[in-house]
Amino acid sequence: MSLLTTKEIMDIIPHRQPFLLVDTIEELEPGVRAVGKKCVSYNEPYFAGHFPEEPVMPGVLIVEALAQVGAVAILSKPDFKGRTAYFGAINSAKFKQKVVPGDVLTLETEIIKVKGPIGVGSAKAYVDGKLAVQAELTFAVGEK
């Protein structure tokens, strides 16, 4: 059972289809961490060109999905409500396995540091409990 549905996620972050890359939030500790799910479907628009003979979810979109989960975590802090989180940096990204149609991504982002409007998250994406992607993400929270 999900904690937040797609509609509730869109109340926290400004992303919309086709660029909302999180289906549900399963766990949320505001300002601390969030765990989301993304059901990867063959109908995703990027599969038409990446790659038609061997569809693979682009790694940059997996990192974006992790950032969206991190944005839900950091923007759930009362003092950041109604703001937008932007990428400040992507560090130490590692891609461990392909993500393909039919996979369910478990997206975990823990906010490990916050100083003013800047936050750093430790992000990991799993498929069937196996690490697919990990990265350190820096967020810059915009003004209202």
Side-chain angles (χ1 to χ4, degrees):
M1 186 165 113
S2 66
L3 181 63
L4 298 177
T5 64
T6 301
K7 182 182 179 322
E8 293 165 318
I9 293 167
M10 292 188 307
D11 288 340
I12 299 170
I13 62 175
H15 302 76
R16 299 296 180 262
Q17 295 298 341
F19 210 70
L20 180 63
L21 299 173
V22 181
D23 296 325
T24 62
I25 296 295
E26 307 292 319
E27 300 174 35
L28 176 61
E29 294 177 59
V32 177
R33 68 184 288 273
V35 177
K37 295 275 187 184
K38 167 67 177 163
C39 297
V40 181
S41 165
Y42 187 76
N43 294 326
E44 308 284 348
Y46 46 81
F47 284 134
H50 197 269
F51 304 100
E53 300 299 317
E54 182 189 357
V56 176
M57 185 173 184
V60 296
L61 294 182
I62 300 169
V63 173
E64 172 65 27
L66 287 163
Q68 289 179 16
V69 169
V72 169
I74 201 161
L75 296 175
S76 294
K77 276 183 75 167
D79 46 334
F80 290 149
K81 184 177 170 78
R83 296 187 182 184
T84 300
Y86 301 97
F87 266 126
I90 301 168
N91 293 306
S92 304
K94 292 186 175 69
F95 302 90
K96 304 288 192 174
Q97 72 176 45
K98 293 188 294 187
V99 175
V100 299
D103 285 346
V104 176
L105 273 172
T106 300
L107 306 154
E108 301 179 2
T109 303
E110 179 180 358
I111 307 303
I112 56 176
K113 182 179 176 183
V114 177
K115 185 171 183 173
I118 305 297
V120 177
S122 174
K124 294 179 181 171
Y126 299 89
V127 175
D128 294 327
K130 293 174 64 179
L131 183 64
V133 176
Q134 66 184 34
E136 183 182 271
L137 307 176
T138 301
F139 302 92
V141 178
E143 296 297 318
K144 278 191 174 184

